[in-house]
Amino acid sequence: MGSEVRVRFAPSPTGHLHIGGARSALFNYLFAKSQGGKFILRIEDTDQARNVETATEKLMDSLKWLGIEWDESVDVGGEYGPYSCMERIDLYKEYIQKLIDEGKAYYCYMTESELEAEREEQLARGETPKYSGRDRNLTESERKAYEEKGLKPVVRFRVPEGQDIVIDDAVRGKVTFESDGIGDFVIARKDGVPMYNFAVTVDDHLMKITHVIRGEEHLSNTPRQVMLYQAFGWETPRFAHASLILNPNRQKMSKRDESIIQFVEQYKELGYMPEAIVNFLSLLGWSPVGEEEIFSMKELGEQFSLDRVAKAPAVFDTDKLTWMNNQYIKEAELERVLELTIPHLEKAGRLPEDMNEERLEWTKRLVSLHQEKLHYGAEIVELTELFFKAEIDYNEEAQKVLDEEQVPEVLKHFLSELEELDTFEAAEIKAAIKSTQKATGQKGKNLFMPIRVATTGQTHGPDLLVSIELLGKAVVTARLKSLL
């Protein structure tokens, strides 16, 4: 194995990029960056029944959106290609045949019903199910007899008996598996297409992968892969299995779990910033030096190391993610925030798709008004609701303010001041409030709270003067008249 660090992310094109897969890709990418190595994107598409036609493109789009770039893959090539498993079938067949010729693999003709019956018998005896080895030592005549019946075989790897498979895991330390508990596993289906464990082992070796960094759920695959490395006489890469990601209820996540948004594309559609997603995912099972929590991709690449990846499960804290995204939105250029928010206002029917210059300028000020509090783009629809409806339903808290005895006098004077304004801008509105203060003798909360509630329906919110200006003279005066 060469001295250059080479890592890979090898997703199956069966759907959108899951946050767990995104974290694995990110950890590999950051480790490559920290070591001056190469990050390879390989497509594990051997499970043809589950593959989705556009999934590869969507996976790559999501990775690019996150800012994860690869050095070799199906789109950019590289000296170890092809980078799609189904384009490597002939290559796998050579290695499968090599194991068969050396007696390290064999043909198995058991049917699905026979395997299921075997499994049920083992469970009934209280045993852990594994392949019995029925076809381990078939004679040539026995093989021919099965084939004359029209049975097509799978290829099974002959697991060595009585061995301890020891994995020196960079995260979990030494992990030992007993070969006797594994059973001879399938390495090629009846159609000759290899199984995952075989294809990934051959590809990792031929592509000179030095470190295999992935989620803990793959740990059980590792002894099978290690045995294949040993059978071929190849050097084993360094394995590192990051902790599980638990949902906010500290339970193991499933793809049907509705307590959490699970796919990168969904976060993109909701108007999250990729930098925030990357920052958040990096801290799911990895801890930096010090107390800082906000990092750029460059800073993460400089700091990342496997010895700070935790064994303990990481909890996906949705509140922390929205907080972190808000930190990024607050610091972002307004144009960037507009890109996150305007599509949602258009989708909600609040804005036309083709805005004139005046309407666009108004929208910029509206979004800017809420940028400080905005957690993600789609939230702008709820935050700005009061700017798009003619009448307000005052809640109990608001009504309590409006029931105060000084309110009619304050609103009456404020309305008369507004009606006299030639230009309806924040400075003039501020002057109108001052005039109302002089005329009524009310000030502070007794003055500002009735005006805020009457015009916006809220007891707290963004800058009052700008809010009133953006609502417009017609809307504000209509709301005041309705109350009076």
Side-chain angles (χ1 to χ4, degrees), residues 365-436:
R365 295 193 64 199
L366 179 70
V367 172
S368 177
L369 181 66
H370 293 87
Q371 182 172 347
E372 189 76 14
K373 297 290 185 184
L374 190 67
H375 292 97
Y376 53 92
E379 196 178 40
I380 197 70
V381 175
E382 181 183 349
L383 288 176
T384 61
E385 186 180 6
L386 72 95
F387 293 89
F388 297 96
K389 59 183 184 182
E391 296 181 0
I392 298 174
D393 295 322
Y394 297 98
N395 63 24
E396 187 177 339
E397 188 182 9
Q399 193 59 54
K400 191 175 179 182
V401 172
L402 295 175
D403 289 342
E404 293 172 5
E405 60 179 352
Q406 85 284 7
V407 170
E409 183 186 17
V410 168
L411 297 186
K412 182 179 176 183
H413 278 280
F414 184 54
L415 172 61
S416 65
E417 291 289 341
L418 294 183
E419 286 179 326
E420 295 297 318
L421 296 180
D422 293 324
T423 56
F424 201 75
E425 295 177 357
E428 285 73 20
I429 296 164
K430 183 177 182 180
I433 293 175
K434 281 192 173 181
S435 296
T436 303

Side-chain angles (χ1 to χ4, degrees), residues 144-241:
K144 283 183 179 176
Y146 281 128
E147 288 176 4
E148 284 171 3
K149 291 180 183 178
L151 295 175
K152 288 188 174 181
V154 297
V155 179
R156 287 185 182 272
F157 178 73
R158 192 184 299 274
V159 172
E161 296 175 358
Q163 285 193 9
D164 283 343
I165 300 108
V166 181
I167 296 148
D168 182 17
D169 193 282
V171 175
R172 321 199 79 75
K174 281 192 168 27
V175 184
T176 303
F177 295 86
E178 295 178 354
S179 66
D180 291 347
I182 294 174
D184 296 350
F185 54 92
V186 177
I187 58 173
R189 299 180 180 90
K190 293 177 182 180
D191 59 5
V193 175
M195 299 295 284
Y196 166 79
N197 280 312
F198 184 83
V200 77
T201 301
V202 172
D203 288 343
D204 283 349
H205 170 72
L206 295 179
M207 293 183 184
K208 293 184 165 41
I209 300 302
T210 60
H211 296 73
V212 175
I213 305 166
R214 55 194 181 185
E216 184 187 334
E217 65 274 14
H218 285 286
L219 185 59
S220 60
N221 287 323
T222 310
R224 293 168 174 81
Q225 293 165 22
V226 167
M227 285 189 285
L228 286 167
Y229 275 104
Q230 293 171 346
F232 285 118
W234 295 338
E235 186 180 349
T236 307
R238 186 77 192 276
F239 289 97
H241 290 89

Side-chain angles (χ1 to χ4, degrees), residues 290-433:
E291 300 298 317
E292 183 60 51
E293 288 189 296
I294 304 298
F295 297 97
S296 67
M297 182 76 89
K298 184 175 183 295
E299 290 167 334
L300 289 169
E302 291 167 353
Q303 276 212 38
F304 189 84
S305 63
L306 292 176
D307 60 6
R308 297 192 70 83
V309 176
K311 294 180 189 178
V315 178
F316 194 100
D317 186 341
T318 303
D319 291 339
K320 184 170 182 179
L321 173 56
T322 54
W323 168 83
M324 189 170 281
N325 202 60
N326 172 250
Q327 303 305 303
Y328 278 89
I329 285 178
K330 285 196 290 191
E331 298 299 321
E333 297 286 337
L334 179 58
E335 290 300 321
R336 185 97 186 274
V337 183
L338 290 171
E339 289 173 9
L340 300 176
T341 52
I342 286 179
H344 295 284
L345 291 169
E346 290 174 347
K347 186 178 178 181
R350 303 275 175 84
L351 295 175
E353 289 188 16
D354 295 317
M355 286 188 281
N356 59 32
E357 196 170 323
E358 184 182 353
R359 189 63 167 171
L360 179 59
E361 192 56 40
W362 180 86
T363 303
K364 285 181 179 179
R365 295 193 64 199
L366 179 70
V367 172
S368 177
L369 181 66
H370 293 87
Q371 182 172 347
E372 189 76 14
K373 297 290 185 184
L374 190 67
H375 292 97
Y376 53 92
E379 196 178 40
I380 197 70
V381 175
E382 181 183 349
L383 288 176
T384 61
E385 186 180 6
L386 72 95
F387 293 89
F388 297 96
K389 59 183 184 182
E391 296 181 0
I392 298 174
D393 295 322
Y394 297 98
N395 63 24
E396 187 177 339
E397 188 182 9
Q399 193 59 54
K400 191 175 179 182
V401 172
L402 295 175
D403 289 342
E404 293 172 5
E405 60 179 352
Q406 85 284 7
V407 170
E409 183 186 17
V410 168
L411 297 186
K412 182 179 176 183
H413 278 280
F414 184 54
L415 172 61
S416 65
E417 291 289 341
L418 294 183
E419 286 179 326
E420 295 297 318
L421 296 180
D422 293 324
T423 56
F424 201 75
E425 295 177 357
E428 285 73 20
I429 296 164
K430 183 177 182 180
I433 293 175

Side-chain angles (χ1 to χ4, degrees), residues 98-117:
K98 179 176 171 61
L99 291 180
I100 292 171
D101 292 344
E102 294 176 359
K104 295 173 181 174
Y106 60 91
Y107 295 109
C108 172
Y109 295 85
M110 286 187 75
T111 63
E112 292 299 323
S113 58
E114 287 173 330
L115 288 166
E116 184 57 34

